[in-house]
Amino acid sequence: MLPISNPANLVVFHTGMPPLGTWLVDFGVPSLLSIAVTFVVIRLLFRKELCKTIECEVENAKLGANGKLVLVGLALMIAVLLTASAMKKDLGLPTCLAALVITTVVSIKSKSNPITLAKEISWGTLLLVAGLFVVVDAVESQGALDLTQRWLAWASSLGQSMGAMIVGFAVGISNNIVNNLPLGLIAGGTIQAAHTNGLIANAVLIGVDLGPNLSVTGSLATILWLLAQRKDSGGEPGEEKLDVSFWKFLRVGVVAMPLALFAALGGAILMQMIFGQR
């Protein structure tokens, strides 16, 4: 819905980020349609599980002082992100500084050693992200952008609506092969080099955002979420170690992703018909 909602948004448009008003017009309706379709699909697929009884008598857990402090810190980080985005500044450094400030304040108040937080960092994921960026440079050095530009020109020649559908689905499925961050970088480079804008560029972004819902390899966010679910909670009540396998995720994604992607692309085409090319 917003430019800062997904890191992939930033790498796709990079320095060519549309104004917020234009962004909301282009992606507001597609976002709402994709959410509605995904909800309906999940509701139907898990209808049996949702009909089962659940434990109603649970302990009322109150948010402690440190929890409230973190909540304020998150609000501060959101404000920093929105301000930096509105001023068209890079978001990495402001976000990092806000996180360091929050960590420092919480550590001082709770009299805890911030070094222990290092154990909670998924260092393997950081190496994965670094490797993905190296892969992008390697692929681009072999002339991949020339191939992707020619392919984008071919898709565009089929007409805006048909081209948008083809581009959106091709990008969406490709995310699950190489991950949406490197694909977003390549797609962003292709869009800028080919001076592509309007509906086709929007279809690229929609594919980058929704395509990863197909499988666990599609996006960094999914990988981080699965790592968090698989962590041992240390016996905390109400927190159980969960393991969502590749195939269990795929069985849902293979239904939910194409339908949501089709709805979002249809919404983007509708917005283009109503408001025209901007």
Side-chain angles (χ1 to χ4, degrees):
M1 184 71 81
L2 295 173
I4 62 171
S5 300
N6 190 342
N9 295 348
L10 307 178
V11 299
V12 169
F13 281 112
H14 193 47
T15 57
M17 186 69 67
L20 181 59
T22 301
W23 182 281
L24 291 175
V25 170
D26 288 340
F27 300 111
V29 169
S31 294
L32 294 174
L33 289 174
S34 66
I35 291 169
V37 170
T38 302
F39 173 81
V40 172
V41 170
I42 298 296
R43 182 69 180 81
L44 291 175
L45 291 178
F46 291 96
R47 59 189 181 279
K48 292 182 179 179
E49 289 85 346
L50 291 170
C51 288
K52 294 179 180 179
T53 57
I54 61 172
E55 180 60 51
C56 296
E57 296 181 4
V58 295
E59 184 180 353
N60 184 19
K62 294 183 178 180
L63 190 63
N66 286 337
K68 293 178 181 178
L69 186 59
V70 171
L71 189 61
V72 172
L74 289 174
L76 172 64
M77 184 175 291
I78 292 171
V80 169
L81 280 171
L82 290 173
T83 302
S85 176
M87 297 175 65
K88 297 184 178 181
K89 302 291 184 182
D90 287 336
L91 302 181
L93 182 58
T95 307
C96 182
L97 292 176
L100 290 175
V101 170
I102 296 167
T103 302
T104 302
V105 173
V106 172
S107 298
I108 292 174
K109 189 176 183 304
S110 61
K111 298 179 181 179
S112 60
N113 189 348
I115 297 178
T116 57
L117 290 175
K119 297 179 181 178
E120 299 297 325
I121 297 174
S122 178
W123 297 104
T125 304
L126 293 178
L127 291 175
L128 169 65
V129 174
L132 292 175
F133 280 92
V134 172
V135 168
V136 171
D137 284 340
V139 170
E140 288 182 348
S141 68
Q142 297 302 311
L145 288 183
D146 291 335
L147 293 175
T148 54
Q149 284 184 61
R150 287 200 293 269
W151 176 80
L152 194 64
W154 169 79
S156 300
S157 68
L158 300 176
Q160 287 283 302
S161 298
M162 179 63 69
M165 282 290 177
I166 293 174
V167 168
F169 272 91
V171 171
I173 294 172
S174 300
N175 281 312
N176 300 276
I177 301 173
V178 296
N179 193 270
N180 71 335
L181 272 182
L183 188 72
L185 285 168
I186 295 173
T190 303
I191 290 173
Q192 292 176 23
H195 303 291
T196 302
N197 51 33
L199 185 58
I200 297 297
N202 294 348
V204 170
L205 185 76
I206 291 172
V208 168
D209 277 343
L210 290 180
N213 289 343
L214 177 64
S215 72
V216 298
T217 57
S219 75
L220 178 61
T222 304
I223 295 171
L224 292 174
W225 174 76
L226 288 175
L227 288 174
Q229 294 299 308
R230 291 169 182 170
K231 273 188 177 181
D232 190 351
S233 63
E236 289 292 328
E239 296 182 11
E240 298 178 1
K241 184 178 179 181
L242 302 175
D243 189 2
V244 181
S245 68
F246 177 88
W247 294 111
K248 181 183 268 189
F249 192 102
L250 184 64
R251 283 198 297 270
V252 178
V254 76
V255 179
M257 189 281 280
L259 293 176
L261 183 57
F262 182 81
L265 290 171
I269 293 171
L270 178 63
M271 289 297 96
Q272 201 267 346
M273 292 173 62
I274 294 174
F275 294 98
Q277 183 113 347
R278 285 173 303 287

